[in-house]
Amino acid sequence: MNIPKNLTDIFPWAFDKCTGLQNIDVAKNNTQYSSINGVLYDKSGKKLIHCPCGKQGILTVPAGVTEISLWAFYGCAKLTKVVIPKSVKLIDDTDVFIGCSRLKQISVDANNADYCSSEGILYDKKKKKLFFCPGGKAGRVTIPKSVTEINIRAFVECKDLTIISCLSTTPPNADGAFDEDVCARVKLCVPKDAVAAYKSAEGWRDFKTIVPDAAGR
């Protein structure tokens, strides 16, 4: 896709379901947009607007980018890893990575002041809020005891998870974080003294299997 110099307004859903699109190139004299390695940015290059759905493998967000926009990676089903630099201050939507069914890892630079990652999962810097678990994650994931909130739709596309281990004795706020498939299929392991609390908590009580963590945590 070639964006000419006179195009100044691109709707967020403009490239929805363009699964074969691999590169968006912008004319250098366009006043509103730019492109880096086929990815669409604002003119300054500080805001990542859209990654083409046909991009494959690892996508490294360039140093200097400060914002990842609404639905920026929506539908990028061929990506396996996204690397986020220390400069990013805002990831602008719950659904940034929705549709990334093969994404196994979100990796955040250790020097980023606002976000971090663990086991490929995206958190705020203090690990109080879990933002997103990649759709391609498989097997078991562990949610740290520091987490008090899980973002809406954070686990809705995790088709290959088998166990979620949540270490907090107080169920984090998780309303809307899990869909019916995850709740029906995935085993939830929680601290042995917190089983009853999870079975009655909004967002957790829909799990069909809630058991004490084997480690007794």
Side-chain angles (χ1 to χ4, degrees), residues 39-79:
V39 177
L40 181 66
Y41 296 82
D42 71 344
K43 184 62 178 180
S44 70
K46 293 183 177 181
K47 182 177 182 177
L48 192 161
I49 296 172
H50 183 73
C51 176
C53 293
K55 284 287 186 185
Q56 301 181 30
I58 300 172
L59 192 288
T60 300
V61 178
V65 172
T66 59
E67 182 178 351
I68 297 176
S69 189
L70 191 73
W71 303 308
F73 292 98
Y74 190 98
C76 291
K78 299 176 183 179
L79 288 182

mmCIF file of all heavy atoms in Angstrom, residues 39-79:
data_model
loop_
_atom_site.group_PDB
_atom_site.id
_atom_site.type_symbol
_atom_site.label_atom_id
_atom_site.label_comp_id
_atom_site.label_asym_id
_atom_site.label_seq_id
_atom_site.Cartn_x
_atom_site.Cartn_y
_atom_site.Cartn_z
ATOM 1 N N VAL A 39 5.692 -0.172 8.394
ATOM 2 C CA VAL A 39 4.707 0.063 9.452
ATOM 3 C C VAL A 39 4.327 1.540 9.438
ATOM 4 O O VAL A 39 5.182 2.411 9.246
ATOM 5 C CB VAL A 39 5.265 -0.353 10.829
ATOM 6 C CG1 VAL A 39 4.266 -0.047 11.945
ATOM 7 C CG2 VAL A 39 5.609 -1.848 10.828
ATOM 8 N N LEU A 40 3.050 1.829 9.671
ATOM 9 C CA LEU A 40 2.543 3.197 9.594
ATOM 10 C C LEU A 40 2.698 3.935 10.922
ATOM 11 O O LEU A 40 2.282 3.430 11.975
ATOM 12 C CB LEU A 40 1.065 3.169 9.194
ATOM 13 C CG LEU A 40 0.354 4.513 9.028
ATOM 14 C CD1 LEU A 40 0.924 5.283 7.845
ATOM 15 C CD2 LEU A 40 -1.158 4.297 8.849
ATOM 16 N N TYR A 41 3.266 5.151 10.865
ATOM 17 C CA TYR A 41 3.460 6.023 12.029
ATOM 18 C C TYR A 41 2.928 7.418 11.714
ATOM 19 O O TYR A 41 2.651 7.741 10.556
ATOM 20 C CB TYR A 41 4.958 6.153 12.370
ATOM 21 C CG TYR A 41 5.608 4.870 12.803
ATOM 22 C CD1 TYR A 41 6.055 3.939 11.868
ATOM 23 C CD2 TYR A 41 5.785 4.575 14.155
ATOM 24 C CE1 TYR A 41 6.662 2.749 12.273
ATOM 25 C CE2 TYR A 41 6.395 3.394 14.561
ATOM 26 C CZ TYR A 41 6.821 2.488 13.611
ATOM 27 O OH TYR A 41 7.408 1.314 14.005
ATOM 28 N N ASP A 42 2.798 8.231 12.762
ATOM 29 C CA ASP A 42 2.520 9.640 12.503
ATOM 30 C C ASP A 42 3.776 10.284 11.905
ATOM 31 O O ASP A 42 4.822 9.644 11.777
ATOM 32 C CB ASP A 42 2.042 10.359 13.774
ATOM 33 C CG ASP A 42 3.147 10.551 14.805
ATOM 34 O OD1 ASP A 42 4.202 9.896 14.709
ATOM 35 O OD2 ASP A 42 2.956 11.354 15.726
ATOM 36 N N LYS A 43 3.667 11.554 11.529
ATOM 37 C CA LYS A 43 4.779 12.211 10.825
ATOM 38 C C LYS A 43 6.059 12.238 11.658
ATOM 39 O O LYS A 43 7.164 12.067 11.131
ATOM 40 C CB LYS A 43 4.381 13.640 10.443
ATOM 41 C CG LYS A 43 5.441 14.371 9.608
ATOM 42 C CD LYS A 43 5.690 13.659 8.285
ATOM 43 C CE LYS A 43 6.711 14.402 7.427
ATOM 44 N NZ LYS A 43 6.947 13.702 6.134
ATOM 45 N N SER A 44 5.919 12.409 12.976
ATOM 46 C CA SER A 44 7.103 12.496 13.839
ATOM 47 C C SER A 44 7.773 11.146 14.044
ATOM 48 O O SER A 44 8.922 11.079 14.478
ATOM 49 C CB SER A 44 6.708 13.078 15.202
ATOM 50 O OG SER A 44 5.919 12.138 15.927
ATOM 51 N N GLY A 45 7.045 10.061 13.739
ATOM 52 C CA GLY A 45 7.580 8.723 13.982
ATOM 53 C C GLY A 45 7.489 8.287 15.432
ATOM 54 O O GLY A 45 8.008 7.230 15.803
ATOM 55 N N LYS A 46 6.798 9.077 16.256
ATOM 56 C CA LYS A 46 6.689 8.751 17.680
ATOM 57 C C LYS A 46 5.441 7.941 18.031
ATOM 58 O O LYS A 46 5.369 7.364 19.120
ATOM 59 C CB LYS A 46 6.718 10.042 18.510
ATOM 60 C CG LYS A 46 8.062 10.750 18.458
ATOM 61 C CD LYS A 46 8.073 11.986 19.355
ATOM 62 C CE LYS A 46 9.444 12.641 19.336
ATOM 63 N NZ LYS A 46 9.484 13.836 20.225
ATOM 64 N N LYS A 47 4.466 7.922 17.110
ATOM 65 C CA LYS A 47 3.222 7.201 17.365
ATOM 66 C C LYS A 47 3.058 6.093 16.332
ATOM 67 O O LYS A 47 2.940 6.362 15.133
ATOM 68 C CB LYS A 47 2.026 8.158 17.317
ATOM 69 C CG LYS A 47 0.686 7.489 17.621
ATOM 70 C CD LYS A 47 -0.430 8.531 17.628
ATOM 71 C CE LYS A 47 -1.781 7.907 17.972
ATOM 72 N NZ LYS A 47 -2.857 8.923 18.042
ATOM 73 N N LEU A 48 3.050 4.848 16.788
ATOM 74 C CA LEU A 48 2.826 3.716 15.898
ATOM 75 C C LEU A 48 1.320 3.588 15.684
ATOM 76 O O LEU A 48 0.569 3.352 16.624
ATOM 77 C CB LEU A 48 3.413 2.432 16.499
ATOM 78 C CG LEU A 48 3.526 1.208 15.590
ATOM 79 C CD1 LEU A 48 4.532 0.214 16.168
ATOM 80 C CD2 LEU A 48 2.195 0.500 15.365
ATOM 81 N N ILE A 49 0.885 3.737 14.446
ATOM 82 C CA ILE A 49 -0.537 3.757 14.133
ATOM 83 C C ILE A 49 -1.049 2.392 13.690
ATOM 84 O O ILE A 49 -2.072 1.920 14.174
ATOM 85 C CB ILE A 49 -0.832 4.810 13.049
ATOM 86 C CG1 ILE A 49 -0.505 6.209 13.588
ATOM 87 C CG2 ILE A 49 -2.291 4.744 12.595
ATOM 88 C CD1 ILE A 49 -0.576 7.302 12.540
ATOM 89 N N HIS A 50 -0.325 1.737 12.783
ATOM 90 C CA HIS A 50 -0.831 0.457 12.281
ATOM 91 C C HIS A 50 0.299 -0.413 11.746
ATOM 92 O O HIS A 50 1.109 0.029 10.925
ATOM 93 C CB HIS A 50 -1.860 0.677 11.172
ATOM 94 C CG HIS A 50 -2.466 -0.596 10.671
ATOM 95 N ND1 HIS A 50 -3.373 -1.329 11.406
ATOM 96 C CD2 HIS A 50 -2.269 -1.297 9.517
ATOM 97 C CE1 HIS A 50 -3.721 -2.416 10.720
ATOM 98 N NE2 HIS A 50 -3.062 -2.419 9.576
ATOM 99 N N CYS A 51 0.312 -1.657 12.212
ATOM 100 C CA CYS A 51 1.210 -2.674 11.669
ATOM 101 C C CYS A 51 0.399 -3.517 10.689
ATOM 102 O O CYS A 51 -0.654 -4.058 11.056
ATOM 103 C CB CYS A 51 1.766 -3.543 12.789
ATOM 104 S SG CYS A 51 2.812 -4.912 12.210
ATOM 105 N N PRO A 52 0.843 -3.652 9.445
ATOM 106 C CA PRO A 52 0.090 -4.440 8.472
ATOM 107 C C PRO A 52 -0.141 -5.879 8.941
ATOM 108 O O PRO A 52 0.755 -6.504 9.519
ATOM 109 C CB PRO A 52 0.985 -4.412 7.223
ATOM 110 C CG PRO A 52 1.815 -3.180 7.380
ATOM 111 C CD PRO A 52 2.051 -3.049 8.851
ATOM 112 N N CYS A 53 -1.328 -6.409 8.677
ATOM 113 C CA CYS A 53 -1.716 -7.736 9.166
ATOM 114 C C CYS A 53 -0.861 -8.856 8.588
ATOM 115 O O CYS A 53 -0.812 -9.953 9.160
ATOM 116 C CB CYS A 53 -3.184 -8.010 8.849
ATOM 117 S SG CYS A 53 -4.332 -6.942 9.749
ATOM 118 N N GLY A 54 -0.195 -8.598 7.454
ATOM 119 C CA GLY A 54 0.634 -9.632 6.849
ATOM 120 C C GLY A 54 2.050 -9.698 7.363
ATOM 121 O O GLY A 54 2.828 -10.576 6.947
ATOM 122 N N LYS A 55 2.426 -8.806 8.286
ATOM 123 C CA LYS A 55 3.769 -8.852 8.864
ATOM 124 C C LYS A 55 3.981 -10.182 9.581
ATOM 125 O O LYS A 55 3.094 -10.669 10.288
ATOM 126 C CB LYS A 55 3.977 -7.690 9.835
ATOM 127 C CG LYS A 55 4.216 -6.351 9.182
ATOM 128 C CD LYS A 55 5.613 -6.267 8.569
ATOM 129 C CE LYS A 55 5.905 -4.873 8.049
ATOM 130 N NZ LYS A 55 7.212 -4.815 7.356
ATOM 131 N N GLN A 56 5.190 -10.740 9.438
ATOM 132 C CA GLN A 56 5.468 -12.050 9.998
ATOM 133 C C GLN A 56 6.632 -12.011 10.987
ATOM 134 O O GLN A 56 7.504 -11.153 10.904
ATOM 135 C CB GLN A 56 5.814 -13.043 8.877
ATOM 136 C CG GLN A 56 4.730 -13.207 7.850
ATOM 137 C CD GLN A 56 5.106 -14.218 6.779
ATOM 138 O OE1 GLN A 56 5.850 -15.161 7.028
ATOM 139 N NE2 GLN A 56 4.582 -14.029 5.578
ATOM 140 N N GLY A 57 6.625 -12.965 11.927
ATOM 141 C CA GLY A 57 7.766 -13.155 12.827
ATOM 142 C C GLY A 57 7.859 -12.102 13.914
ATOM 143 O O GLY A 57 6.881 -11.809 14.597
ATOM 144 N N ILE A 58 9.035 -11.522 14.065
ATOM 145 C CA ILE A 58 9.312 -10.577 15.147
ATOM 146 C C ILE A 58 9.191 -9.143 14.646
ATOM 147 O O ILE A 58 9.762 -8.794 13.610
ATOM 148 C CB ILE A 58 10.725 -10.810 15.724
ATOM 149 C CG1 ILE A 58 10.834 -12.237 16.282
ATOM 150 C CG2 ILE A 58 11.047 -9.791 16.811
ATOM 151 C CD1 ILE A 58 12.238 -12.625 16.694
ATOM 152 N N LEU A 59 8.454 -8.325 15.393
ATOM 153 C CA LEU A 59 8.344 -6.897 15.076
ATOM 154 C C LEU A 59 8.977 -6.109 16.215
ATOM 155 O O LEU A 59 8.509 -6.182 17.361
ATOM 156 C CB LEU A 59 6.869 -6.510 14.894
ATOM 157 C CG LEU A 59 6.497 -5.136 14.285
ATOM 158 C CD1 LEU A 59 6.776 -3.984 15.252
ATOM 159 C CD2 LEU A 59 7.190 -4.913 12.960
ATOM 160 N N THR A 60 10.032 -5.385 15.911
ATOM 161 C CA THR A 60 10.705 -4.545 16.901
ATOM 162 C C THR A 60 10.279 -3.093 16.722
ATOM 163 O O THR A 60 10.552 -2.487 15.681
ATOM 164 C CB THR A 60 12.235 -4.664 16.775
ATOM 165 O OG1 THR A 60 12.625 -6.028 16.993
ATOM 166 C CG2 THR A 60 12.933 -3.788 17.812
ATOM 167 N N VAL A 61 9.610 -2.548 17.715
ATOM 168 C CA VAL A 61 9.196 -1.147 17.665
ATOM 169 C C VAL A 61 10.442 -0.279 17.819
ATOM 170 O O VAL A 61 11.235 -0.475 18.744
ATOM 171 C CB VAL A 61 8.189 -0.831 18.789
ATOM 172 C CG1 VAL A 61 7.788 0.639 18.769
ATOM 173 C CG2 VAL A 61 6.942 -1.721 18.644
ATOM 174 N N PRO A 62 10.666 0.679 16.933
ATOM 175 C CA PRO A 62 11.890 1.476 16.979
ATOM 176 C C PRO A 62 12.031 2.307 18.256
ATOM 177 O O PRO A 62 11.040 2.762 18.829
ATOM 178 C CB PRO A 62 11.763 2.398 15.760
ATOM 179 C CG PRO A 62 10.768 1.743 14.871
ATOM 180 C CD PRO A 62 9.817 1.044 15.784
ATOM 181 N N ALA A 63 13.267 2.502 18.683
ATOM 182 C CA ALA A 63 13.555 3.406 19.793
ATOM 183 C C ALA A 63 13.076 4.809 19.429
ATOM 184 O O ALA A 63 13.226 5.243 18.288
ATOM 185 C CB ALA A 63 15.057 3.418 20.082
ATOM 186 N N GLY A 64 12.496 5.491 20.391
ATOM 187 C CA GLY A 64 11.970 6.829 20.149
ATOM 188 C C GLY A 64 10.461 6.865 20.025
ATOM 189 O O GLY A 64 9.841 7.915 20.206
ATOM 190 N N VAL A 65 9.845 5.719 19.725
ATOM 191 C CA VAL A 65 8.387 5.650 19.685
ATOM 192 C C VAL A 65 7.848 5.791 21.106
ATOM 193 O O VAL A 65 8.311 5.115 22.029
ATOM 194 C CB VAL A 65 7.909 4.321 19.062
ATOM 195 C CG1 VAL A 65 6.399 4.167 19.214
ATOM 196 C CG2 VAL A 65 8.299 4.263 17.590
ATOM 197 N N THR A 66 6.892 6.677 21.307
ATOM 198 C CA THR A 66 6.352 6.931 22.649
ATOM 199 C C THR A 66 4.924 6.414 22.831
ATOM 200 O O THR A 66 4.458 6.271 23.962
ATOM 201 C CB THR A 66 6.361 8.433 22.969
ATOM 202 O OG1 THR A 66 5.581 9.134 21.990
ATOM 203 C CG2 THR A 66 7.787 8.984 22.964
ATOM 204 N N GLU A 67 4.222 6.133 21.711
ATOM 205 C CA GLU A 67 2.824 5.704 21.815
ATOM 206 C C GLU A 67 2.508 4.612 20.804
ATOM 207 O O GLU A 67 2.925 4.682 19.643
ATOM 208 C CB GLU A 67 1.889 6.898 21.592
ATOM 209 C CG GLU A 67 0.413 6.554 21.720
ATOM 210 C CD GLU A 67 -0.500 7.750 21.548
ATOM 211 O OE1 GLU A 67 0.018 8.888 21.489
ATOM 212 O OE2 GLU A 67 -1.730 7.563 21.479
ATOM 213 N N ILE A 68 1.792 3.601 21.267
ATOM 214 C CA ILE A 68 1.266 2.566 20.385
ATOM 215 C C ILE A 68 -0.242 2.759 20.358
ATOM 216 O O ILE A 68 -0.916 2.677 21.380
ATOM 217 C CB ILE A 68 1.663 1.160 20.864
ATOM 218 C CG1 ILE A 68 3.199 1.018 20.815
ATOM 219 C CG2 ILE A 68 1.007 0.094 20.003
ATOM 220 C CD1 ILE A 68 3.719 -0.293 21.350
ATOM 221 N N SER A 69 -0.756 3.010 19.172
ATOM 222 C CA SER A 69 -2.111 3.530 19.018
ATOM 223 C C SER A 69 -3.192 2.457 19.096
ATOM 224 O O SER A 69 -2.933 1.255 19.110
ATOM 225 C CB SER A 69 -2.199 4.265 17.678
ATOM 226 O OG SER A 69 -3.415 4.960 17.566
ATOM 227 N N LEU A 70 -4.418 2.941 19.114
ATOM 228 C CA LEU A 70 -5.630 2.143 19.100
ATOM 229 C C LEU A 70 -5.587 1.087 17.997
ATOM 230 O O LEU A 70 -5.399 1.413 16.836
ATOM 231 C CB LEU A 70 -6.802 3.098 18.856
ATOM 232 C CG LEU A 70 -8.226 2.641 19.014
ATOM 233 C CD1 LEU A 70 -8.570 2.459 20.481
ATOM 234 C CD2 LEU A 70 -9.152 3.686 18.399
ATOM 235 N N TRP A 71 -5.722 -0.209 18.383
ATOM 236 C CA TRP A 71 -5.767 -1.331 17.433
ATOM 237 C C TRP A 71 -4.514 -1.443 16.564
ATOM 238 O O TRP A 71 -4.569 -1.955 15.437
ATOM 239 C CB TRP A 71 -7.001 -1.241 16.529
ATOM 240 C CG TRP A 71 -8.292 -1.185 17.263
ATOM 241 C CD1 TRP A 71 -8.724 -2.033 18.232
ATOM 242 C CD2 TRP A 71 -9.333 -0.216 17.104
ATOM 243 N NE1 TRP A 71 -9.967 -1.672 18.698
ATOM 244 C CE2 TRP A 71 -10.364 -0.544 18.015
ATOM 245 C CE3 TRP A 71 -9.502 0.891 16.283
ATOM 246 C CZ2 TRP A 71 -11.538 0.186 18.120
ATOM 247 C CZ3 TRP A 71 -10.665 1.614 16.396
ATOM 248 C CH2 TRP A 71 -11.664 1.267 17.298
ATOM 249 N N ALA A 72 -3.387 -0.987 17.045
ATOM 250 C CA ALA A 72 -2.175 -0.926 16.212
ATOM 251 C C ALA A 72 -1.766 -2.281 15.635
ATOM 252 O O ALA A 72 -1.284 -2.358 14.505
ATOM 253 C CB ALA A 72 -1.021 -0.337 17.015
ATOM 254 N N PHE A 73 -1.935 -3.365 16.422
ATOM 255 C CA PHE A 73 -1.545 -4.696 15.946
ATOM 256 C C PHE A 73 -2.760 -5.602 15.723
ATOM 257 O O PHE A 73 -2.616 -6.823 15.614
ATOM 258 C CB PHE A 73 -0.599 -5.349 16.951
ATOM 259 C CG PHE A 73 0.738 -4.676 17.043
ATOM 260 C CD1 PHE A 73 1.002 -3.765 18.060
ATOM 261 C CD2 PHE A 73 1.731 -4.933 16.117
ATOM 262 C CE1 PHE A 73 2.233 -3.137 18.145
ATOM 263 C CE2 PHE A 73 2.964 -4.300 16.183
ATOM 264 C CZ PHE A 73 3.216 -3.402 17.206
ATOM 265 N N TYR A 74 -3.933 -5.023 15.667
ATOM 266 C CA TYR A 74 -5.166 -5.795 15.542
ATOM 267 C C TYR A 74 -5.119 -6.667 14.285
ATOM 268 O O TYR A 74 -4.916 -6.193 13.177
ATOM 269 C CB TYR A 74 -6.362 -4.852 15.470
ATOM 270 C CG TYR A 74 -7.714 -5.521 15.589
ATOM 271 C CD1 TYR A 74 -8.384 -5.555 16.795
ATOM 272 C CD2 TYR A 74 -8.315 -6.132 14.489
ATOM 273 C CE1 TYR A 74 -9.638 -6.170 16.914
ATOM 274 C CE2 TYR A 74 -9.547 -6.749 14.594
ATOM 275 C CZ TYR A 74 -10.206 -6.768 15.812
ATOM 276 O OH TYR A 74 -11.416 -7.374 15.920
ATOM 277 N N GLY A 75 -5.306 -7.968 14.479
ATOM 278 C CA GLY A 75 -5.366 -8.888 13.348
ATOM 279 C C GLY A 75 -4.037 -9.329 12.782
ATOM 280 O O GLY A 75 -3.992 -9.987 11.737
ATOM 281 N N CYS A 76 -2.938 -9.015 13.476
ATOM 282 C CA CYS A 76 -1.607 -9.424 12.991
ATOM 283 C C CYS A 76 -1.342 -10.881 13.389
ATOM 284 O O CYS A 76 -0.545 -11.178 14.287
ATOM 285 C CB CYS A 76 -0.534 -8.508 13.552
ATOM 286 S SG CYS A 76 -0.588 -6.825 12.877
ATOM 287 N N ALA A 77 -2.014 -11.784 12.692
ATOM 288 C CA ALA A 77 -2.024 -13.197 13.071
ATOM 289 C C ALA A 77 -0.729 -13.927 12.768
ATOM 290 O O ALA A 77 -0.560 -15.081 13.175
ATOM 291 C CB ALA A 77 -3.185 -13.898 12.365
ATOM 292 N N LYS A 78 0.208 -13.282 12.055
ATOM 293 C CA LYS A 78 1.462 -13.948 11.703
ATOM 294 C C LYS A 78 2.639 -13.495 12.557
ATOM 295 O O LYS A 78 3.740 -14.035 12.438
ATOM 296 C CB LYS A 78 1.769 -13.720 10.222
ATOM 297 C CG LYS A 78 0.695 -14.292 9.297
ATOM 298 C CD LYS A 78 0.972 -13.972 7.845
ATOM 299 C CE LYS A 78 -0.157 -14.486 6.949
ATOM 300 N NZ LYS A 78 0.080 -14.155 5.520
ATOM 301 N N LEU A 79 2.411 -12.512 13.416
ATOM 302 C CA LEU A 79 3.477 -12.082 14.315
ATOM 303 C C LEU A 79 3.665 -13.105 15.435
ATOM 304 O O LEU A 79 2.696 -13.668 15.950
ATOM 305 C CB LEU A 79 3.158 -10.721 14.934
ATOM 306 C CG LEU A 79 3.237 -9.492 14.035
ATOM 307 C CD1 LEU A 79 2.933 -8.236 14.849
ATOM 308 C CD2 LEU A 79 4.597 -9.371 13.377
#
